[in-house]
Amino acid sequence: MLTLRLTRGSRPLVQLRRLLVAAAAAGSGFLLLYVLAEATARPAGSFPRLLWALLPLAATVHLAVRTARTDPATRPREGMDAVGLGPLHLALAAAASTAVACTLGSALALAAFLHLRGDLGGLPFDGAGAALLHTDRPLPLAAALTLLALTPLAASAAAAALTLRPRTPAAPAAGLPWGIALAACGLAVLGHAGPAGDGLPAGWALTAAGLVLAGPGLAYACGALVQAVRPGALRLLAGRTLQEEASRLGRPLGVLCAAGTAAIAAALPGRGGIAGISAPLGPLTAPAFALTVLCAAATLLAAAVEVRQARAASRAALADLGAPGSVLRTAATVRAAALLAVCLPVCWGIARLTSLALTG
């Protein structure tokens, strides 16, 4: 009951973040149902389609976990043990709030899917979605419910596990060499496959994993870049703050870089890295990609909120020393500009190499 009151009594911004998680879960659930409907009509190739649909699902789970870590109801505070809110209870609260948001999204996805198929009444939009959703074939309800349960179960389990884990930052630059090596391996796989594009799933998975692994190192390098060449107080504050928070911001930054690289590769002329290859999810490929990008961007914003919460004491100390609020805002702008200055060329370069590898 206390967990429910903490969840319901949250601020509007916290509730908005939970609604974003529900919307993302609805989008990924709809994609899974579409893959199931495609499998009933075209069993051949259903497993690769399911693998591609798991990418938006993974991005949704990542967003849900980051949102749970920024939830005030799941943060340890002094005196909470006295009212029965120890670490285990906080983990259960994180799992419960995440499961509720994701289950709401999955239910909305099922309702929308059945409505578009005409299973809840007449066909809407003059039956425009009948052929796309294969209304001529029955939908296996047990399989549909199993797929829709993936998002709430995975997100709530990950949220509980990460809430129980101590929030100690790891060494940010340790994964940079391994990330570069994985990205190079992915480009090599793409180059070996050549214009046929047969190695796109494996090659792109390795490249994206390399970017995610290298994300903390990239953020740390951005902090070093800000402090280069006789820095003043403002640049020192921005750069060292970015280096201290590289472990928190790095992984969401890497996910966003991977999504941005795919977007740039798809927009390049010719085969364009991805544009010349048949869409793996048919007409829902573009919405699935847009959902992944939006989840990655929202996850990075949630990580920034977590960083802001963690540095509340530092901001209060600077304010006590007489530092104006404009200094803190300018330092945040400098950090964002440094991240863009480093990550955009990296994304463009890897996208260009991907295009060249697939072009042969």
Short mmCIF file of all heavy atoms in Angstrom, two decimals, residues 110-161:
data_model
loop_
_atom_site.label_atom_id
_atom_site.label_comp_id
_atom_site.label_asym_id
_atom_site.label_seq_id
_atom_site.Cartn_x
_atom_site.Cartn_y
_atom_site.Cartn_z
N LEU A 110 -2.34 -4.57 -27.60
CA LEU A 110 -3.26 -5.66 -27.96
C LEU A 110 -4.61 -5.11 -28.39
O LEU A 110 -5.19 -5.57 -29.38
CB LEU A 110 -3.42 -6.59 -26.77
CG LEU A 110 -4.35 -7.79 -26.97
CD1 LEU A 110 -3.84 -8.69 -28.10
CD2 LEU A 110 -4.50 -8.60 -25.68
N ALA A 111 -5.11 -4.10 -27.66
CA ALA A 111 -6.41 -3.52 -28.02
C ALA A 111 -6.35 -2.87 -29.40
O ALA A 111 -7.27 -3.03 -30.23
CB ALA A 111 -6.83 -2.51 -26.96
N ALA A 112 -5.29 -2.11 -29.66
CA ALA A 112 -5.16 -1.45 -30.97
C ALA A 112 -5.02 -2.47 -32.09
O ALA A 112 -5.61 -2.32 -33.18
CB ALA A 112 -3.96 -0.50 -30.95
N PHE A 113 -4.24 -3.52 -31.86
CA PHE A 113 -4.03 -4.53 -32.88
C PHE A 113 -5.33 -5.26 -33.21
O PHE A 113 -5.67 -5.45 -34.39
CB PHE A 113 -2.96 -5.51 -32.40
CG PHE A 113 -2.45 -6.42 -33.46
CD1 PHE A 113 -1.43 -6.03 -34.32
CD2 PHE A 113 -2.98 -7.71 -33.61
CE1 PHE A 113 -0.96 -6.87 -35.30
CE2 PHE A 113 -2.51 -8.56 -34.60
CZ PHE A 113 -1.50 -8.14 -35.45
N LEU A 114 -6.06 -5.67 -32.17
CA LEU A 114 -7.33 -6.37 -32.41
C LEU A 114 -8.36 -5.44 -33.06
O LEU A 114 -9.15 -5.88 -33.90
CB LEU A 114 -7.87 -6.91 -31.09
CG LEU A 114 -7.04 -8.03 -30.43
CD1 LEU A 114 -7.67 -8.44 -29.11
CD2 LEU A 114 -6.89 -9.22 -31.36
N HIS A 115 -8.33 -4.16 -32.71
CA HIS A 115 -9.26 -3.21 -33.33
C HIS A 115 -8.96 -3.04 -34.81
O HIS A 115 -9.89 -3.01 -35.64
CB HIS A 115 -9.17 -1.87 -32.60
CG HIS A 115 -10.05 -0.82 -33.19
ND1 HIS A 115 -11.43 -0.90 -33.21
CD2 HIS A 115 -9.74 0.37 -33.80
CE1 HIS A 115 -11.95 0.17 -33.80
NE2 HIS A 115 -10.93 0.95 -34.16
N LEU A 116 -7.68 -2.91 -35.17
CA LEU A 116 -7.33 -2.75 -36.57
C LEU A 116 -7.61 -4.01 -37.39
O LEU A 116 -7.86 -3.94 -38.59
CB LEU A 116 -5.85 -2.37 -36.70
CG LEU A 116 -5.47 -0.98 -36.20
CD1 LEU A 116 -3.97 -0.77 -36.26
CD2 LEU A 116 -6.19 0.09 -37.00
N ARG A 117 -7.55 -5.17 -36.73
CA ARG A 117 -7.89 -6.43 -37.42
C ARG A 117 -9.40 -6.63 -37.55
O ARG A 117 -9.85 -7.52 -38.29
CB ARG A 117 -7.31 -7.62 -36.65
CG ARG A 117 -5.84 -7.87 -36.92
CD ARG A 117 -5.33 -8.96 -36.00
NE ARG A 117 -6.12 -10.18 -36.10
CZ ARG A 117 -5.84 -11.19 -36.93
NH1 ARG A 117 -4.78 -11.11 -37.71
NH2 ARG A 117 -6.60 -12.27 -36.95
N GLY A 118 -10.18 -5.83 -36.82
CA GLY A 118 -11.62 -6.00 -36.86
C GLY A 118 -12.14 -7.05 -35.92
O GLY A 118 -13.32 -7.42 -35.99
N ASP A 119 -11.29 -7.53 -35.01
CA ASP A 119 -11.74 -8.56 -34.06
C ASP A 119 -12.61 -8.00 -32.95
O ASP A 119 -13.28 -8.77 -32.24
CB ASP A 119 -10.52 -9.25 -33.44
CG ASP A 119 -9.71 -10.02 -34.46
OD1 ASP A 119 -10.29 -10.40 -35.50
OD2 ASP A 119 -8.50 -10.23 -34.24
N LEU A 120 -12.61 -6.68 -32.77
CA LEU A 120 -13.45 -6.06 -31.73
C LEU A 120 -14.66 -5.36 -32.32
O LEU A 120 -15.32 -4.58 -31.64
CB LEU A 120 -12.61 -5.04 -30.93
CG LEU A 120 -11.38 -5.59 -30.22
CD1 LEU A 120 -10.66 -4.48 -29.46
CD2 LEU A 120 -11.77 -6.71 -29.27
N GLY A 121 -14.95 -5.61 -33.57
CA GLY A 121 -16.05 -4.94 -34.24
C GLY A 121 -15.75 -4.87 -35.73
O GLY A 121 -15.07 -5.72 -36.29
N GLY A 122 -16.28 -3.82 -36.39
CA GLY A 122 -16.01 -3.65 -37.81
C GLY A 122 -14.59 -3.22 -38.08
O GLY A 122 -13.88 -2.73 -37.20
N LEU A 123 -14.15 -3.39 -39.32
CA LEU A 123 -12.81 -2.97 -39.72
C LEU A 123 -12.74 -1.44 -39.80
O LEU A 123 -13.52 -0.82 -40.53
CB LEU A 123 -12.44 -3.57 -41.08
CG LEU A 123 -12.03 -5.04 -41.09
CD1 LEU A 123 -11.90 -5.54 -42.52
CD2 LEU A 123 -10.71 -5.23 -40.35
N PRO A 124 -11.83 -0.80 -39.06
CA PRO A 124 -11.70 0.66 -39.16
C PRO A 124 -10.93 1.06 -40.41
O PRO A 124 -10.27 0.24 -41.05
CB PRO A 124 -10.92 1.01 -37.88
CG PRO A 124 -10.09 -0.20 -37.61
CD PRO A 124 -10.90 -1.38 -38.09
N PHE A 125 -11.02 2.35 -40.73
CA PHE A 125 -10.29 2.93 -41.88
C PHE A 125 -10.59 2.17 -43.18
O PHE A 125 -9.70 1.95 -44.01
CB PHE A 125 -8.78 2.94 -41.62
CG PHE A 125 -8.39 3.59 -40.33
CD1 PHE A 125 -7.84 2.83 -39.30
CD2 PHE A 125 -8.59 4.95 -40.12
CE1 PHE A 125 -7.49 3.42 -38.10
CE2 PHE A 125 -8.24 5.54 -38.92
CZ PHE A 125 -7.69 4.78 -37.91
N ASP A 126 -11.84 1.73 -43.33
CA ASP A 126 -12.29 1.02 -44.54
C ASP A 126 -11.46 -0.22 -44.83
O ASP A 126 -11.22 -0.59 -45.99
CB ASP A 126 -12.24 1.97 -45.75
CG ASP A 126 -13.19 3.15 -45.60
OD1 ASP A 126 -14.26 2.96 -44.97
OD2 ASP A 126 -12.87 4.25 -46.09
N GLY A 127 -10.99 -0.88 -43.77
CA GLY A 127 -10.25 -2.12 -43.94
C GLY A 127 -8.85 -1.95 -44.48
O GLY A 127 -8.30 -2.88 -45.09
N ALA A 128 -8.24 -0.76 -44.27
CA ALA A 128 -6.91 -0.51 -44.82
C ALA A 128 -5.85 -1.42 -44.21
O ALA A 128 -4.86 -1.75 -44.86
CB ALA A 128 -6.52 0.95 -44.61
N GLY A 129 -6.04 -1.84 -42.96
CA GLY A 129 -5.05 -2.69 -42.32
C GLY A 129 -5.35 -4.17 -42.40
O GLY A 129 -4.65 -4.96 -41.76
N ALA A 130 -6.35 -4.56 -43.17
CA ALA A 130 -6.73 -5.97 -43.23
C ALA A 130 -5.62 -6.83 -43.82
O ALA A 130 -5.25 -7.87 -43.27
CB ALA A 130 -8.02 -6.13 -44.03
N ALA A 131 -5.09 -6.41 -44.97
CA ALA A 131 -4.04 -7.20 -45.61
C ALA A 131 -2.74 -7.14 -44.81
O ALA A 131 -2.01 -8.14 -44.72
CB ALA A 131 -3.81 -6.70 -47.04
N LEU A 132 -2.45 -5.98 -44.23
CA LEU A 132 -1.20 -5.83 -43.48
C LEU A 132 -1.16 -6.71 -42.25
O LEU A 132 -0.13 -7.32 -41.93
CB LEU A 132 -1.02 -4.36 -43.08
CG LEU A 132 0.22 -4.02 -42.25
CD1 LEU A 132 1.49 -4.28 -43.05
CD2 LEU A 132 0.17 -2.57 -41.77
N LEU A 133 -2.30 -6.84 -41.54
CA LEU A 133 -2.36 -7.60 -40.31
C LEU A 133 -2.94 -9.00 -40.51
O LEU A 133 -3.17 -9.70 -39.52
CB LEU A 133 -3.19 -6.84 -39.27
CG LEU A 133 -2.70 -5.42 -38.95
CD1 LEU A 133 -3.57 -4.77 -37.89
CD2 LEU A 133 -1.25 -5.44 -38.50
N HIS A 134 -3.20 -9.39 -41.76
CA HIS A 134 -3.63 -10.75 -42.11
C HIS A 134 -4.88 -11.15 -41.32
O HIS A 134 -4.89 -12.11 -40.55
CB HIS A 134 -2.50 -11.75 -41.84
CG HIS A 134 -1.25 -11.44 -42.60
ND1 HIS A 134 -1.13 -11.64 -43.96
CD2 HIS A 134 -0.07 -10.91 -42.19
CE1 HIS A 134 0.08 -11.27 -44.35
NE2 HIS A 134 0.74 -10.82 -43.30
N THR A 135 -5.94 -10.38 -41.54
CA THR A 135 -7.19 -10.67 -40.84
C THR A 135 -7.84 -11.97 -41.30
O THR A 135 -8.74 -12.47 -40.63
CB THR A 135 -8.17 -9.51 -41.06
OG1 THR A 135 -8.37 -9.32 -42.48
CG2 THR A 135 -7.62 -8.22 -40.46
N ASP A 136 -7.36 -12.51 -42.44
CA ASP A 136 -7.94 -13.75 -42.92
C ASP A 136 -7.46 -14.97 -42.15
O ASP A 136 -7.97 -16.08 -42.34
CB ASP A 136 -7.63 -13.93 -44.41
CG ASP A 136 -6.14 -13.88 -44.70
OD1 ASP A 136 -5.42 -13.20 -43.93
OD2 ASP A 136 -5.70 -14.50 -45.68
N ARG A 137 -6.47 -14.80 -41.29
CA ARG A 137 -5.94 -15.91 -40.51
C ARG A 137 -6.15 -15.64 -39.02
O ARG A 137 -6.00 -14.51 -38.57
CB ARG A 137 -4.45 -16.11 -40.80
CG ARG A 137 -4.18 -16.54 -42.24
CD ARG A 137 -2.72 -16.77 -42.49
NE ARG A 137 -2.49 -17.23 -43.84
CZ ARG A 137 -2.50 -18.51 -44.21
NH1 ARG A 137 -2.72 -19.45 -43.29
NH2 ARG A 137 -2.28 -18.87 -45.46
N PRO A 138 -6.49 -16.68 -38.24
CA PRO A 138 -6.70 -16.46 -36.80
C PRO A 138 -5.39 -16.14 -36.09
O PRO A 138 -4.32 -16.65 -36.44
CB PRO A 138 -7.28 -17.81 -36.33
CG PRO A 138 -6.78 -18.80 -37.34
CD PRO A 138 -6.72 -18.08 -38.65
N LEU A 139 -5.50 -15.31 -35.09
CA LEU A 139 -4.34 -14.93 -34.29
C LEU A 139 -4.23 -15.85 -33.08
O LEU A 139 -5.16 -15.93 -32.28
CB LEU A 139 -4.47 -13.48 -33.83
CG LEU A 139 -3.28 -12.89 -33.07
CD1 LEU A 139 -2.09 -12.69 -34.01
CD2 LEU A 139 -3.65 -11.56 -32.43
N PRO A 140 -3.10 -16.56 -32.92
CA PRO A 140 -2.94 -17.42 -31.73
C PRO A 140 -2.89 -16.58 -30.46
O PRO A 140 -1.93 -15.85 -30.22
CB PRO A 140 -1.61 -18.14 -31.99
CG PRO A 140 -1.33 -17.98 -33.45
CD PRO A 140 -1.95 -16.67 -33.83
N LEU A 141 -3.93 -16.67 -29.65
CA LEU A 141 -4.02 -15.81 -28.47
C LEU A 141 -2.94 -16.12 -27.45
O LEU A 141 -2.36 -15.20 -26.85
CB LEU A 141 -5.42 -15.96 -27.83
CG LEU A 141 -5.70 -15.02 -26.65
CD1 LEU A 141 -5.57 -13.56 -27.08
CD2 LEU A 141 -7.09 -15.28 -26.09
N ALA A 142 -2.63 -17.40 -27.23
CA ALA A 142 -1.61 -17.75 -26.25
C ALA A 142 -0.25 -17.21 -26.67
O ALA A 142 0.51 -16.68 -25.85
CB ALA A 142 -1.56 -19.27 -26.08
N ALA A 143 0.07 -17.34 -27.95
CA ALA A 143 1.35 -16.81 -28.43
C ALA A 143 1.39 -15.29 -28.33
O ALA A 143 2.42 -14.70 -27.99
CB ALA A 143 1.59 -17.26 -29.87
N ALA A 144 0.26 -14.64 -28.62
CA ALA A 144 0.21 -13.18 -28.52
C ALA A 144 0.43 -12.71 -27.09
O ALA A 144 1.20 -11.76 -26.84
CB ALA A 144 -1.13 -12.67 -29.05
N LEU A 145 -0.22 -13.36 -26.13
CA LEU A 145 -0.04 -12.97 -24.73
C LEU A 145 1.38 -13.25 -24.25
O LEU A 145 1.93 -12.49 -23.45
CB LEU A 145 -1.06 -13.72 -23.86
CG LEU A 145 -2.53 -13.35 -24.10
CD1 LEU A 145 -3.43 -14.18 -23.20
CD2 LEU A 145 -2.77 -11.86 -23.86
N THR A 146 1.97 -14.33 -24.76
CA THR A 146 3.36 -14.64 -24.38
C THR A 146 4.31 -13.55 -24.88
O THR A 146 5.20 -13.10 -24.14
CB THR A 146 3.77 -16.00 -24.93
OG1 THR A 146 2.89 -17.01 -24.42
CG2 THR A 146 5.20 -16.34 -24.54
N LEU A 147 4.14 -13.13 -26.12
CA LEU A 147 4.99 -12.08 -26.67
C LEU A 147 4.79 -10.76 -25.93
O LEU A 147 5.75 -10.02 -25.66
CB LEU A 147 4.72 -11.91 -28.16
CG LEU A 147 5.21 -13.03 -29.08
CD1 LEU A 147 4.79 -12.75 -30.51
CD2 LEU A 147 6.72 -13.17 -29.00
N LEU A 148 3.53 -10.46 -25.61
CA LEU A 148 3.26 -9.19 -24.93
C LEU A 148 3.80 -9.19 -23.50
O LEU A 148 4.04 -8.12 -22.93
CB LEU A 148 1.75 -8.93 -24.91
CG LEU A 148 1.13 -8.56 -26.25
CD1 LEU A 148 -0.37 -8.40 -26.11
CD2 LEU A 148 1.73 -7.26 -26.80
N ALA A 149 3.98 -10.37 -22.92
CA ALA A 149 4.51 -10.44 -21.55
C ALA A 149 6.01 -10.24 -21.51
O ALA A 149 6.57 -10.05 -20.41
CB ALA A 149 4.14 -11.79 -20.92
N LEU A 150 6.69 -10.28 -22.66
CA LEU A 150 8.14 -10.15 -22.67
C LEU A 150 8.58 -8.80 -22.11
O LEU A 150 9.50 -8.72 -21.29
CB LEU A 150 8.68 -10.33 -24.09
CG LEU A 150 8.64 -11.74 -24.68
CD1 LEU A 150 9.16 -11.73 -26.11
CD2 LEU A 150 9.46 -12.69 -23.83
N THR A 151 7.93 -7.73 -22.55
CA THR A 151 8.37 -6.39 -22.12
C THR A 151 8.17 -6.17 -20.62
O THR A 151 9.12 -5.74 -19.94
CB THR A 151 7.62 -5.32 -22.93
OG1 THR A 151 7.82 -5.54 -24.33
CG2 THR A 151 8.13 -3.93 -22.58
N PRO A 152 6.98 -6.43 -20.04
CA PRO A 152 6.86 -6.22 -18.58
C PRO A 152 7.79 -7.10 -17.76
O PRO A 152 8.39 -6.62 -16.78
CB PRO A 152 5.38 -6.55 -18.30
CG PRO A 152 4.69 -6.39 -19.60
CD PRO A 152 5.69 -6.79 -20.64
N LEU A 153 7.94 -8.37 -18.16
CA LEU A 153 8.79 -9.26 -17.37
C LEU A 153 10.26 -8.84 -17.44
O LEU A 153 10.95 -8.76 -16.41
CB LEU A 153 8.64 -10.70 -17.87
CG LEU A 153 7.29 -11.37 -17.57
CD1 LEU A 153 7.24 -12.76 -18.19
CD2 LEU A 153 7.05 -11.45 -16.08
N ALA A 154 10.74 -8.56 -18.65
CA ALA A 154 12.16 -8.19 -18.79
C ALA A 154 12.45 -6.85 -18.12
O ALA A 154 13.46 -6.68 -17.43
CB ALA A 154 12.54 -8.14 -20.27
N ALA A 155 11.56 -5.89 -18.30
CA ALA A 155 11.80 -4.56 -17.73
C ALA A 155 11.73 -4.57 -16.21
O ALA A 155 12.57 -3.96 -15.54
CB ALA A 155 10.79 -3.56 -18.30
N SER A 156 10.75 -5.26 -15.64
CA SER A 156 10.62 -5.27 -14.18
C SER A 156 11.77 -6.04 -13.54
O SER A 156 12.30 -5.62 -12.50
CB SER A 156 9.28 -5.88 -13.78
OG SER A 156 9.15 -7.20 -14.30
N ALA A 157 12.20 -7.16 -14.15
CA ALA A 157 13.32 -7.91 -13.59
C ALA A 157 14.61 -7.09 -13.65
O ALA A 157 15.38 -7.05 -12.68
CB ALA A 157 13.50 -9.22 -14.35
N ALA A 158 14.84 -6.41 -14.78
CA ALA A 158 16.05 -5.60 -14.89
C ALA A 158 16.01 -4.40 -13.95
O ALA A 158 17.03 -4.04 -13.34
CB ALA A 158 16.22 -5.12 -16.33
N ALA A 159 14.84 -3.79 -13.78
CA ALA A 159 14.72 -2.65 -12.88
C ALA A 159 14.99 -3.06 -11.44
O ALA A 159 15.69 -2.36 -10.69
CB ALA A 159 13.33 -2.02 -13.00
N ALA A 160 14.46 -4.21 -11.02
CA ALA A 160 14.70 -4.68 -9.65
C ALA A 160 16.17 -5.02 -9.43
O ALA A 160 16.75 -4.68 -8.39
CB ALA A 160 13.83 -5.90 -9.36
N ALA A 161 16.78 -5.68 -10.42
CA ALA A 161 18.18 -6.07 -10.27
C ALA A 161 19.10 -4.85 -10.19
O ALA A 161 20.03 -4.79 -9.37
CB ALA A 161 18.60 -6.98 -11.41
#
